Amino acid sequence: MLKIDSHQHFWKFDPVRDSWIDDSMAAIRRDFYPEDLEPILNKHNIDGCIAVQADQSEAETEFLLSFAENNDFIKGVVGWVNLMDPHVRERIAHYSSFKKLKGIRHVLQGEPDRAYMLNPQFMKGIAALKNYDLAYDILIFPDQLGYTNQFVKNVSGVRYVIDHIAKPDIKNGNIDKWENNMKIIAQHENVWCKISGMVTEADWHNWKISDFEPYLDVVFEAFGADRVMFGSDWPVCNVAGGYDKMISIVECYVSKLSADEQARFWGLNAIEFYKLD
């Protein structure tokens, strides 16, 4: 069974640029490079990964593409371009010439304007992805799900994936509003979902596997086994237990799925969505 980690990050730690990594996240206040990740992937028999942007700059896109060029296990990159730039099509065209660029992401969760994705210029930038067969990763908090549903309706024909199951409030068990919105957005067949990043939305030091089951039930019921994929969110997951504990949550949950569904979840869906070679 091919296994792909569809969501992880690399960075050279910069305390100013990476100010989101505060004192409570001391475990990740350092550099994380491919040589740090490769032995972890090998330990879990994971064949490759997708490196996702963490900084909003083209320098970040180039940083990740250089790693991908020199490390075969990095199968794809989700980079960043300024989707509000009137000349964004030219920038997308430029980066699309890199074989391992598979998608683009913007940190929508951090925008003061919660409906930022509905800006006409932003949507024009997203629409340009279609011409280059690139996907778009949707990074949001639950309060943005309603806007996101409108967004994917407005810009059709793009492959979308929701990162980190839209970061529900697992720590406090809040589920109802998030569940309703996820079921609505899952009705769009071009929207997929990453089972990733969940430990950081739980009680970092006291979570248990059962905390995640109701949320996983919702995602698998809404999207089906054909539109969900595994992602670690390494190294961010290190603040809440690390790779081994994080992967144990999903291993436990998907063990009840059929062999075909497990194969799709662990690798085939990511390969199909990101068009990996």
Side-chain angles (χ1 to χ4, degrees):
M1 183 194 299
L2 271 173
K3 288 187 174 183
I4 301 290
D5 180 341
S6 73
H7 199 106
Q8 52 76 211
H9 306 285
F10 298 118
W11 59 69
K12 181 173 176 56
F13 180 68
D14 178 321
V16 176
R17 183 197 65 190
D18 304 323
S19 58
W20 61 275
I21 305 176
D22 59 24
D23 291 343
S24 71
M25 305 173 91
I28 60 171
R29 297 190 84 168
R30 64 174 184 83
D31 300 348
F32 287 94
Y33 283 5
E35 56 266 32
D36 301 306
L37 178 60
E38 190 172 18
I40 299 171
L41 298 183
N42 290 340
K43 177 182 177 182
H44 293 284
N45 298 311
I46 293 171
D47 301 282
C49 63
I50 302 288
V52 179
Q53 65 84 221
D55 179 51
Q56 312 227 85
S57 67
E58 289 194 2
E60 169 85 339
T61 306
E62 286 156 18
F63 173 74
L64 297 178
L65 285 169
S66 69
F67 280 152
E69 191 177 329
N70 294 307
N71 295 272
D72 287 343
F73 73 90
I74 303 172
K75 303 300 184 188
V77 166
V78 174
W80 184 90
V81 294
N82 182 3
L83 290 160
M84 295 289 249
D85 182 350
H87 304 291
V88 67
R89 185 184 288 267
E90 293 161 29
R91 303 313 299 150
I92 294 169
H94 166 69
Y95 285 113
S96 72
S97 67
F98 293 84
K99 192 163 170 271
K100 284 193 173 179
L101 186 81
K102 301 299 182 182
I104 296 295
R105 186 175 85 152
H106 182 84
V107 183
L108 288 169
Q109 70 174 31
E111 290 292 345
D113 175 6
R114 308 312 282 157
Y116 185 92
M117 73 281 286
L118 294 178
N119 182 295
Q121 186 61 52
F122 187 84
M123 290 192 291
K124 199 177 285 186
I126 295 289
L129 296 175
K130 286 188 280 195
N131 301 308
Y132 302 96
D133 207 16
L134 294 171
Y136 183 73
D137 270 55
I138 301 174
L139 177 63
I140 51 168
F141 282 126
D143 69 303
Q144 295 169 292
L145 275 167
Y147 301 125
T148 303
N149 184 54
Q150 188 60 49
F151 163 65
V152 300
K153 260 202 278 197
N154 287 356
V155 192
S156 60
V158 176
R159 299 191 313 283
Y160 297 106
V161 62
I162 295 175
D163 291 345
H164 314 323
I165 67 170
K167 296 194 163 187
D169 181 13
I170 297 170
K171 182 177 181 179
N172 296 302
N174 291 327
I175 194 168
D176 293 348
K177 192 173 180 185
W178 167 85
E179 176 179 358
N180 290 337
N181 282 320
M182 287 293 273
K183 285 179 175 175
I184 290 168
I185 204 164
Q187 291 172 12
H188 301 282
E189 291 186 358
N190 59 325
V191 182
W192 301 44
C193 189
K194 286 185 185 177
I195 309 288
S196 59
M198 300 181 299
V199 289
T200 49
E201 307 314 310
D203 183 333
W204 290 2
H205 306 294
N206 299 296
W207 61 259
K208 51 193 185 298
I209 286 179
S210 59
D211 295 341
F212 303 95
E213 289 173 3
Y215 298 90
L216 290 168
D217 285 344
V218 169
V219 173
F220 273 90
E221 182 187 331
F223 290 88
D226 286 350
R227 286 190 288 142
V228 292
M229 61 187 88
F230 164 69
S232 66
D233 199 24
W234 178 93
V236 185
C237 64
N238 290 354
V239 304
Y243 209 108
D244 293 358
K245 289 184 177 177
M246 171 280 311
I247 202 170
S248 70
I249 298 165
V250 288
E251 283 175 340
C252 179
Y253 188 87
V254 303
S255 64
K256 65 188 180 186
L257 302 179
S258 72
D260 178 61
E261 288 170 333
Q262 290 186 50
R264 292 202 64 82
F265 169 75
W266 285 114
L268 296 179
N269 288 342
I271 290 166
E272 181 182 331
F273 180 82
Y274 283 117
K275 305 207 168 175
L276 306 183
D277 299 325

